[in-house]
Amino acid sequence: MEKKRFSIVKTLIIILLIAAAFLVGSSMYVVHQNEYVAVRRFGKIVSIASEPGLHFKTPFIEDTQAISGKIIIYDIPASDVITKDKKSMITDTYVLWRVADPLKYIQTLNAVSARADERIEASVYNATKNAISSMTQDEVIEARGETLTKLITEEANSDMAGYGIAIIQAQIKALDLPDDNKQAVYERMISERNNIAASYTAQGEAEAQKIHNETDKQVAIVKAQAQKSAAVLEAEGEAAYMETLSKAYDTEEKAEFYSYIRGLDTLKESLRGEKTIILDKDSELAQILYGNFN
């Protein structure tokens, strides 16, 4: 009898331990990094935990729903959009998004990622269409990249905020033209770039000619000033030379000697390269040769 009673007590203890372990396990839940966990009580959300670690809830009465808080990439299918000047363009876009408000996300989309993708695709398409339809085709091509990404992301974000979703970036990865007008657009772009290059070349040549003309002007001014200075110096030198001669031959004897020397110089120059010279017997050069110079 005692043995049977002990067996029953042992069984009850084991059952109680199992129940206690189950009860404790049911009252705990874990929140991982980049994750939200919504706690529901009879289907109604009573709290949302976002701090990583071990948390507690009321067992059997409350249950949990985990929601990813990571950044998700969604590739939107390519679609046609029409520009302001009625030109067709093909956009291929991808989106980076994450859950920013888990309560709104659950209430509006029931935290179903497929529904989120549908809403994001529609929102980003509308934002892309609105941005591109407000520009001409040339403006769209010029704005592609950061400008166009900012416009689309901002508009899509304002729409998706009501679903608890944050659009981090809506980036057009490919912006193409239909085959029927692609070549015409390329040719027009090449022509525009050639016109811009020709304009820069013309401006450069005009600036170069301006510099050349200014340089010629400065050279002419410097040359004229140099010639003027040389003429003044030559005149001053000639005047100084004549003054020196005047002082050196200020007597009759000195003047006659000077005339004699000048006559010899003249005769020397006359005989340069010549073997015969014919002189009048009364000329000063003949008198020098005859030794009759006075």
Side-chain angles (χ1 to χ4, degrees):
M1 180 65 71
E2 289 294 330
K3 187 176 179 181
K4 184 177 180 180
R5 186 179 299 172
F6 177 76
S7 178
I8 294 172
V9 172
K10 183 179 179 181
T11 301
L12 288 174
I13 291 173
I14 292 173
I15 293 173
L16 288 174
L17 289 174
I18 293 173
F22 181 74
L23 183 65
V24 172
S26 299
S27 66
M28 294 187 299
Y29 64 95
V30 177
V31 178
H32 298 95
Q33 190 75 27
N34 295 319
E35 184 182 56
Y36 303 104
V37 174
V39 179
R40 294 175 180 269
R41 181 179 299 159
F42 304 117
K44 182 180 179 180
I45 298 174
V46 293
S47 66
I48 294 177
S50 59
E51 189 69 25
L54 186 64
H55 297 259
F56 295 91
K57 64 181 179 62
T58 305
F60 309 117
I61 297 176
E62 296 177 342
D63 57 4
T64 58
Q65 181 181 8
I67 303 164
S68 175
K70 296 179 180 179
I71 296 175
I72 301 171
I73 184 169
Y74 176 53
D75 195 4
I76 297 177
S79 57
D80 289 348
V81 290
I82 306 298
T83 64
K84 185 178 180 181
D85 51 350
K86 308 304 179 185
K87 302 289 181 63
S88 179
M89 301 193 78
I90 301 171
T91 61
D92 191 359
T93 310
Y94 72 87
V95 180
L96 298 176
W97 68 277
R98 67 177 181 83
V99 175
D101 188 334
L103 181 59
K104 286 184 180 180
Y105 185 59
I106 294 171
Q107 290 173 339
T108 56
L109 300 173
N110 200 26
V112 177
S113 60
R115 292 183 184 178
D117 289 343
E118 291 176 0
R119 288 306 312 158
I120 290 170
E121 182 176 334
S123 179
V124 171
Y125 172 75
N126 289 333
T128 303
K129 182 182 68 174
N130 292 338
I132 291 180
S133 65
S134 66
M135 306 178 188
T136 65
Q137 189 177 71
D138 290 343
E139 289 172 340
V140 171
I141 294 173
E142 195 172 317
R144 65 184 302 171
E146 184 177 347
T147 301
L148 204 54
T149 297
K150 184 178 179 182
L151 289 173
I152 297 171
T153 300
E154 287 179 352
E155 184 171 342
N157 239 329
S158 63
D159 181 42
M160 294 306 298
Y163 297 92
I165 291 174
I167 303 295
I168 298 171
Q169 187 179 70
Q171 175 75 52
I172 294 179
K173 63 180 180 181
L175 181 62
D176 208 350
L177 305 169
D179 293 335
D180 56 351
N181 66 347
K182 185 182 296 184
Q183 187 60 37
V185 172
Y186 287 163
E187 290 176 356
R188 186 173 74 252
M189 291 174 64
I190 291 171
S191 177
E192 289 175 353
R193 295 304 182 273
N194 288 337
N195 290 337
I196 293 172
S199 174
Y200 286 151
T201 301
Q203 290 177 4
E205 289 176 349
E207 190 66 23
Q209 186 61 44
K210 181 179 178 182
I211 294 172
H212 183 72
N213 293 340
E214 185 64 25
T215 302
D216 288 346
K217 178 182 176 181
Q218 294 298 326
V219 169
I221 291 173
V222 172
K223 186 175 180 180
Q225 290 175 344
Q227 290 174 344
K228 179 181 178 181
S229 298
V232 170
L233 291 174
E234 184 177 359
E236 291 176 349
E238 187 67 25
Y241 172 70
M242 295 306 296
E243 183 180 356
T244 301
L245 286 179
S246 175
K247 291 179 180 179
Y249 303 104
D250 57 354
T251 63
E252 185 177 352
E253 292 81 5
K254 292 179 180 180
E256 289 178 357
F257 178 73
Y258 175 71
S259 297
Y260 177 73
I261 295 299
R262 288 295 299 273
L264 289 176
D265 290 339
T266 302
L267 179 60
K268 182 178 178 181
E269 290 296 325
S270 299
L271 292 174
R272 187 181 299 277
E274 298 290 342
K275 294 182 179 180
T276 304
I277 185 170
I278 300 173
L279 300 172
D280 186 274
K281 66 177 182 177
D282 295 326
S283 68
E284 292 183 356
L285 291 178
Q287 295 300 320
I288 293 172
L289 293 174
Y290 283 118
N292 295 328
F293 184 79
N294 293 323

